[in-house]
Amino acid sequence: MQIIMGISLMLMALNSLITFILTSAALSIAPGPDNIFVMSQSALHGRKTGIAIVLGLCSGLVAHTAAVAFGVAALIQNSAMAFSILKWIGAAYLIYLAWQVFTAPVSHMTAGYNKTPTFFMLYRRGIIMNLTNPKVTIFFLAFLPQFAEPEQNRMALQIAILGGLFIAVAFVVFTMIAILAGELGSWLRSSPRAQIGLNRIAGTTLALLALRLATAEAN
């Protein structure tokens, strides 16, 4: 009887895990600030640029997971001032990135990408973009605990494991987006007119994302 109960619990846990992974994949694929940014930058500068940003974004998700595990997310959700400070910093940073893209000359996208920001700069850009978006922390606060099992205790550890799984899924999805966008954008980069068009599309996207973040509400 105990063996049957043990097997039943394992199957329930497996079903919950599969559901979590599939949901995480669907959420990562759905259009949002992160994957749109990865897509536009990969099309502009190539897949290596996108992958560097993906690594930065996923590193930022580690901090969001820790915030949820240790209860910081609840503070951000309940403090209008903390939420506003973070969102305005994030919006200002996105506007700064949009200005850089709008004003970048065509020579920044010549073959070889000699003037493309370094890997570390792109990695840092991804981290800052992710960390300054309080909606991500609040999303994790609402999403991750749904798949935890309070009766098993060690909630912080469970949240950390779930956050790690989400990050792994997001990394795979975002990397695929970077590779596909990089391949599709390679032929566009051979035309100066297309390069200018890509710059304008990317800059407009960043500006719209800044507006979306600036007008976001905690609830």
Side-chain angles (χ1 to χ4, degrees), residues 39-41 43-45 98 101-106 109 185 188-206:
M39 185 183 300
S40 64
Q41 293 304 294
L44 278 167
H45 302 295
V101 172
F102 272 125
T103 58
V106 173
M109 293 180 290
L188 290 173
R189 290 190 295 270
S190 62
S191 166
R193 181 175 295 180
Q195 291 172 16
I196 293 172
L198 282 172
N199 260 348
R200 290 175 178 172
I201 292 172
T204 301
T205 299
L206 287 167

Side-chain angles (χ1 to χ4, degrees), residues 24-40:
S24 298
L27 290 170
S28 299
I29 294 171
D34 290 347
N35 53 23
I36 289 175
F37 185 63
V38 169
M39 185 183 300
S40 64

